[in-house]
Amino acid sequence: MRQRRTVVQAAMPLFAGLLVGLLAALPFLQVPGLPAGTDMELHIHRIAELGTSVRAGALYPRWAPNFYHGFGYPIFNYYAPLTYHMGYWLTLGRPELAAEAARLLYLLVFVAGAVGAYLLGRECGGREAGVGGGLLGALAFSFAPYIQFFNPHIRGDLAESLALAALPWALWGWELFWRRGGRLAIALAVGGTGAVFLSHNLTGLTCVALVGALCVWHWKGRHHAKMRGAIHVAGAFVFLTAFFWLPFLVERPAILLDVAGEGHYDFRNHFVPLSELLAPMRPIDRRAAAPNMPMTVGPQLVLLAVLGLALAVWRRGVRSAFQELGFYAISALLLAWMVLPGSRLVWESVPGLDYYQFPWRFLGPFAVLLVPLIASLAGTHLSRIPAVSRVGRGALAAVATVIILLGAMPAFYPLPWESGFGLITPQTLIDAELEGRWRGTTSTNDFVPTTVDIIPGPQESVLASYATAQIDRVNRVTLPDSARVRPLPDKPWVNRFEVQSDVPFVLRLFLFDFPGWRADVDGIRVPIEIARPEGFVTVSVPAGEHTVTVRFGSTPARSIGWALAAVGLGLFAWLLLRSKPWSSKPIAMHESQTLAPVLGIIFALALVMAWKATIADPQGLFVVTSPPGEATVAEYQQRASLGAEIALLGYDLSTTALRPGESLDVAPYWQAQRVVTRTYQSFVHLVYPEGTIWAQSDHLNPAGHPTNLWPTDRYLRDKHTLRLPPDMPEGTYLLVVGLYTLEDNLRLPVETATCGLRVDSIVFCQPIMVRK
């Protein structure tokens, strides 16, 4: 019996992860393929690109040879690589199946995140939370809006999703280390933190900060003697990951990384007001081209977290509850505040924080920090009478489960997507770049070598060679008449040529230079000269017959990084060998006090999902479809036609009265009336009636999509943020919107409007009041 109970205890996290994780991933199981129009396509292409080099023998590629129109660039030297390595291995050595691997990886992410949250909730939800606390923790994490919906369905950031799934594991590992120690704790602390750090750069930095704060919390609390051991474990993590962070830091000056600044990637444009942060999720209009969902933390989760903390204080006392849950409550409050406009001064003052770009990125770690707070509900005794306490704990866990699931119900109904991306080949990558949506799977030229003064356009000879068996990067226009250059088959990171020429000449390649490129002629090292302004590689070749090889290899920083990683592996092994075996925390599943919350959760889970299948789905309770040519979800209805091409259907306002220095969110609803062939830019101006512009916002791609790609049967919500100057006078202001072309600055004329008609703009009917 005891052995059977031990097996059940060991299998419970996996069972919980499969149940809760796959339930949260239900849309991915119901519809083939993956959401389109998100960053998911970028991650699919990166999996395929990295896989091409791994299959050719480079176990850790740093160069992407087929990106940037075939010029190549070093994205894998700087972007956390674990997601793409995992994706490639899921293709079973066939990188052309990257889309299917990404889909499978997302399912694994949901399951792994749920398992990690279960383990964190069971460990930190209190001494009596047990399996019920683990299940509540898994539910709270998996059905958090950012985890279940925003990242996978709106953003498509597979790398960040993987990092967030690993974050509960990292925190659980460090909690085990401080509470009980042992080999498993060390392995999880190092492995979990490393998995987050190597999955997504920014989430990795957030994880390191949280782990550091957690260690200080325990050290200052009641585990003073373990700080030295914690430093050793942290050292193992630092050394083990040196192969990534050391080349990043040393070779950072070799690339452009202009991912922060004005425009879409300016953090000032992405704060979330408290009213939106605490707004409930709402049904998605099927007439929308992209979901219009508030960037919410999930008010139901906040409510349960506050309730869990309050009940813990009531039952255990302030001191005990603070020791167990204080770190998570304080950290969650801090991260939530960092998303709000009130934290702007911190964002502007802390160096490097602007690289986060979007303050709402912290909603992912925030969801993890709520896990122990909500899990503590399963360990709360509402009465000293055992029978009443059992019923109370079961009922409380069931109610919490119902609240979590009902609050997340709109996320079960995302906008439908197409069946899939098909096979991904180098030609597919080239074609995607030629469509103009991105280059090198980035949109801000980040990771391009600094030796590139001007981004060159695609070269026809290189593009044409992708249709053949041998990619040709030779600039043949510059060859002498007597020169013959034939590319030879080799590895993706090796460019080898058979050269014959009667005169010496400079071999010019359509290949970006970067630290690590080496050139040799007949096996003898020769210098590489950089052709400016494009930053291409050139090699001087003497007259005669030669074999020229340009190969991408290591650098001192990369070699030292691998050496430090080897040292870290030795330190890690030494820590494991000298540590005591880990003994699991006993979980008395046979006790009715512990079993009651589990039964309550399972009952509530079955009840809600049965209600969804038999009532919500047939009646379409969470599906909204506006009539054609309308946006019924718009707060203010106002119609206008611009150039008989694009229609204004309405708009949303975050407020109609505000003070100088505050921000105003304005979201026009646009719809293409016919196929749009030009790319228009949108503007929103806040003006006095006499025409003085006091605040304005322009979008290069309205609603984040080029207008020439807009569908004609769906609308788009184009959210702008206006920051009012602190010295603007009181008064009644008007909002003026319109569309224009960037190349000639000509506005699209307005043909009809229900109100506010101007020749080349529209005045919203709703005025804005500014009062000091």
Side-chain angles (χ1 to χ4, degrees):
M1 180 64 70
R2 183 177 180 180
Q3 184 178 5
R4 183 183 302 173
R5 187 162 62 244
T6 302
V7 172
V8 172
Q9 291 177 14
M12 183 56 70
L14 180 59
F15 170 76
L18 287 171
L19 174 65
V20 177
L22 293 181
L23 189 61
L26 193 59
F28 287 95
L29 298 173
Q30 294 174 322
V31 182
L34 290 165
T38 70
D39 287 351
M40 177 61 70
E41 190 170 358
L42 308 181
H43 297 288
I44 291 173
H45 286 179
R46 290 173 187 172
I47 291 172
E49 178 71 351
L50 181 138
T52 300
S53 293
V54 174
R55 183 169 62 177
L59 296 182
Y60 190 82
R62 296 180 185 269
W63 184 261
N66 299 306
F67 285 166
Y68 256 85
H69 308 307
F71 307 149
Y73 86 134
I75 183 171
F76 300 125
N77 195 50
Y78 299 96
Y79 205 100
L82 181 60
T83 306
Y84 313 119
H85 281 273
M86 291 183 63
Y88 168 70
W89 292 114
L90 288 175
T91 69
L92 301 179
R94 299 181 60 190
E96 64 272 16
L97 301 179
E100 293 303 316
R103 174 182 168 84
L104 179 58
L105 185 55
Y106 241 128
L107 294 175
L108 293 176
V109 161
F110 274 104
V111 173
V115 173
Y118 171 93
L119 295 167
L120 180 64
R122 190 185 69 180
E123 181 69 30
C124 303
R127 289 176 297 177
E128 299 180 358
V131 176
L135 287 171
L136 280 183
L139 287 166
F141 173 79
S142 300
F143 291 98
Y146 194 83
I147 303 299
Q148 181 195 11
F149 183 74
F150 289 111
N151 232 4
H153 293 285
I154 295 182
R155 301 193 62 221
D157 196 335
L158 178 59
E160 187 179 52
S161 292
L162 178 60
L164 291 173
L167 184 55
W169 289 86
L171 293 178
W172 178 54
W174 282 100
E175 287 284 4
L176 286 180
F177 174 81
W178 284 100
R179 292 166 183 248
R180 282 176 279 160
R183 294 171 186 168
L184 180 61
I186 293 174
L188 286 168
V190 175
T193 310
V196 180
F197 189 76
L198 296 175
S199 296
H200 188 256
N201 297 34
L202 297 175
T203 308
L205 294 177
T206 304
C207 175
V208 169
L210 288 174
V211 165
L214 179 64
C215 290
V216 172
W217 180 271
H218 280 289
W219 174 56
K220 288 291 186 180
R222 53 186 177 181
H223 300 104
H224 303 279
K226 285 192 173 183
M227 193 59 184
R228 184 174 181 180
I231 294 175
H232 290 160
V233 175
F237 155 73
V238 171
F239 278 95
L240 272 171
T241 55
F243 67 90
F244 172 65
W245 61 259
L246 184 63
F248 185 111
L249 294 177
V250 173
E251 297 173 357
R252 164 64 184 87
I255 59 164
L256 302 173
L257 198 59
D258 301 327
V259 297
E262 297 182 357
H264 176 69
Y265 296 102
D266 184 354
F267 64 83
R268 298 173 185 85
N269 296 325
H270 298 284
F271 289 114
V272 182
L274 185 62
S275 58
E276 181 178 354
L277 197 65
L278 296 178
M281 299 186 76
R282 58 192 180 207
I284 301 169
D285 191 350
R286 288 296 189 268
R287 193 66 63 184
N292 174 24
M293 188 73 74
M295 188 62 74
T296 174
V297 297
Q300 74 278 10
L301 300 180
V302 175
L303 173 65
L304 293 175
V306 172
L307 179 62
L309 182 61
L311 290 177
V313 171
W314 172 58
R315 291 299 299 176
R316 307 180 212 167
V318 175
R319 182 180 180 86
S320 176
F322 189 71
Q323 286 179 341
E324 292 287 340
L325 302 173
F327 166 78
Y328 295 95
I330 294 172
S331 299
L333 282 174
L334 178 60
L335 290 187
W337 178 71
M338 290 293 291
V339 179
L340 297 172
S343 64
R344 177 175 172 177
L345 180 61
V346 174
W347 283 86
E348 293 176 338
S349 302
V350 178
L353 200 55
D354 55 343
Y355 281 94
Y356 275 79
Q357 301 170 328
F358 312 116
W360 39 255
R361 284 188 192 273
F362 289 125
L363 295 183
F366 175 86
V368 179
L369 294 171
L370 292 189
V371 166
L373 301 172
I374 296 175
S376 67
L377 291 171
T380 302
H381 291 272
L382 301 179
S383 173
R384 296 184 182 276
I385 303 175
V388 176
S389 179
R390 285 196 299 271
V391 174
R393 292 178 67 188
L396 182 60
V399 170
T401 301
V402 171
I403 292 174
I404 291 172
L405 292 176
L406 290 183
M409 198 58 64
F412 283 101
Y413 306 90
L415 290 176
W417 57 79
E418 298 179 0
S419 60
F421 293 94
L423 298 179
I424 308 298
T425 65
Q427 184 67 58
T428 307
L429 309 181
I430 293 293
D431 293 341
E433 291 186 341
L434 291 175
E435 292 178 4
R437 286 177 288 172
W438 60 76
R439 286 177 296 196
T441 67
T442 63
S443 56
T444 57
N445 296 327
D446 31 326
F447 312 124
V448 170
T450 53
T451 51
V452 179
D453 302 319
I454 298 176
I455 303 293
Q459 300 296 318
E460 288 298 330
S461 61
V462 179
L463 300 180
S465 70
Y466 271 85
T468 67
Q470 181 60 52
I471 298 173
D472 186 0
R473 296 186 172 91
V474 177
N475 186 344
R476 298 191 173 275
V477 175
T478 64
L479 293 177
D481 293 339
S482 65
R484 299 291 181 268
V485 179
R486 184 170 69 92
L488 301 175
D490 216 309
K491 307 292 186 182
W493 59 92
V494 179
N495 296 269
R496 192 160 57 94
F497 308 95
E498 185 181 84
V499 177
Q500 181 179 0
S501 177
D502 295 336
V503 296
F505 72 100
V506 176
L507 178 62
R508 300 180 180 273
L509 303 179
F510 293 121
L511 176 70
F512 284 149
D513 184 54
F514 184 73
W517 281 115
R518 303 284 188 272
D520 61 68
V521 177
D522 299 329
I524 301 174
R525 178 70 55 85
V526 296
I528 289 177
E529 298 292 335
I530 303 174
R532 308 303 275 267
E534 298 92 349
F536 287 144
V537 167
T538 69
V539 180
S540 295
V541 182
E545 296 184 2
H546 306 281
T547 299
V548 178
T549 304
V550 180
R551 180 190 309 271
F552 188 78
S554 187
T555 62
R558 298 167 204 168
S559 299
I560 294 173
W562 284 114
L564 292 178
V567 173
L569 184 60
L571 175 59
F572 181 56
W574 176 74
L575 289 172
L576 292 179
L577 290 174
R578 68 186 293 267
S579 299
K580 63 181 181 181
W582 180 79
S583 58
S584 62
K585 182 180 180 180
I587 303 172
M589 289 191 58
H590 64 286
E591 295 182 4
S592 57
Q593 288 287 348
T594 305
L595 191 59
V598 177
L599 295 177
I601 291 169
I602 294 175
F603 172 77
L605 193 61
L607 181 66
V608 172
M609 297 313 296
W611 172 81
K612 174 184 180 298
T614 58
I615 298 178
D617 288 351
Q619 297 185 12
L621 298 182
F622 296 95
V623 176
V624 175
T625 305
S626 293
E630 296 184 22
T632 57
V633 298
E635 183 180 8
Y636 299 92
Q637 297 292 320
Q638 181 175 345
R639 296 188 59 83
S641 176
L642 292 80
E645 286 188 276
I646 297 176
L648 172 73
L649 307 181
Y651 57 95
D652 293 337
L653 300 175
S654 59
T655 183
T656 59
L658 64 167
R659 296 183 178 88
E662 295 182 340
S663 296
L664 172 66
D665 290 337
V666 184
Y669 288 77
W670 307 106
Q671 181 170 343
Q673 296 174 289
R674 57 182 175 84
V675 176
V676 180
T677 58
R678 304 188 66 180
T679 55
Y680 294 103
Q681 287 68 53
S682 63
F683 69 87
V684 176
H685 294 166
L686 183 66
V687 304
Y688 247 155
E690 69 270 16
T692 303
I693 299 175
W694 283 91
Q696 72 179 72
S697 171
D698 291 73
H699 282 174
L700 180 64
N701 294 316
H705 299 273
T707 55
N708 62 334
L709 300 178
W710 283 9
T712 57
D713 58 343
R714 295 186 180 187
Y715 64 78
L716 295 96
R717 184 176 184 266
D718 182 26
K719 181 182 176 182
H720 294 251
T721 299
L722 303 178
R723 292 192 295 274
L724 278 59
D727 59 344
M728 68 185 302
E730 292 184 335
T732 301
Y733 290 75
L734 300 177
L735 285 167
V736 179
V737 302
L739 299 168
Y740 67 96
T741 50
L742 188 63
E743 59 269 18
D744 52 21
N745 206 33
L746 293 178
R747 294 183 179 181
L748 197 60
V750 181
E751 297 187 348
T752 61
T754 54
C755 68
L757 173 64
R758 292 184 177 180
V759 175
D760 56 5
S761 60
I762 307 150
V763 179
F764 284 165
C765 303
Q766 176 62 47
I768 301 297
M769 306 298 296
V770 176
R771 295 286 183 267
K772 293 186 178 180

